[in-house]
Amino acid sequence: MHERSLVKTLLRHVNQVAAENRASNVLDVTVQIGPLSGVEVGLVESAFNELATTMKLNVVETALVIECLQCHRVSELPDFIFRCPGCDSGRVQVISGDEFQLVSLTIGEGAEHD
């Protein structure tokens, strides 16, 4: 299950950001996951809950969005048919939907400030 190793990497990054901000604890973490990321949301949530028992995970699922290289139309694709709904061209570029990224984290009351 590669989701577990992704969550471990995510938590290392979260802990690094928290340390850089002199935070003693992190309450919740928000990540963005797209349908082309190759990541199962349920498995990420399960691994996160197992590995980070003191934090809450918020998942923002992003849509698959493409730009047509022929007519330049930007469209959300409800399925994985990579054709422009405007001109039917197959020359498209993914704009969003392939991400697995940290969006934000919430630092708890115990944070130290300068």
Side-chain angles (χ1 to χ4, degrees):
M1 168 166 96
H2 78 283
E3 282 82 354
R4 185 176 174 85
S5 64
L6 286 173
V7 169
K8 284 182 178 181
T9 301
L10 171 68
L11 291 173
R12 278 194 299 273
H13 186 63
V14 165
N15 289 330
Q16 178 183 352
V17 170
E20 289 170 1
N21 288 281
R22 298 183 188 162
S24 61
N25 64 338
V26 176
L27 299 176
D28 65 335
V29 174
T30 301
V31 294
Q32 203 170 36
I33 301 176
L36 293 180
S37 66
V39 175
E40 289 287 332
V41 172
L43 295 176
V44 169
E45 291 171 333
S46 177
F48 190 92
N49 291 335
E50 180 185 330
L51 297 170
T53 58
T54 62
M55 295 177 231
K56 179 183 173 215
L57 178 66
N58 302 305
V59 175
V60 177
E61 293 187 61
T62 59
L64 175 55
V65 179
I66 54 105
E67 179 180 6
C68 178
L69 300 176
Q70 188 73 34
C71 72
H72 304 289
R73 177 179 174 164
V74 175
S75 305
E76 186 175 315
L77 298 181
D79 49 29
F80 294 105
I81 299 172
F82 290 88
R83 300 202 69 79
C84 175
C87 71
D88 201 38
S89 171
R91 294 185 57 229
V92 297
Q93 177 177 343
V94 173
I95 302 277
S96 71
D98 59 352
E99 56 276 310
F100 175 75
Q101 63 187 10
L102 175 63
V103 175
S104 66
L105 52 94
T106 304
I107 296 171
E109 289 287 324
E112 298 174 17
H113 299 287
D114 287 335

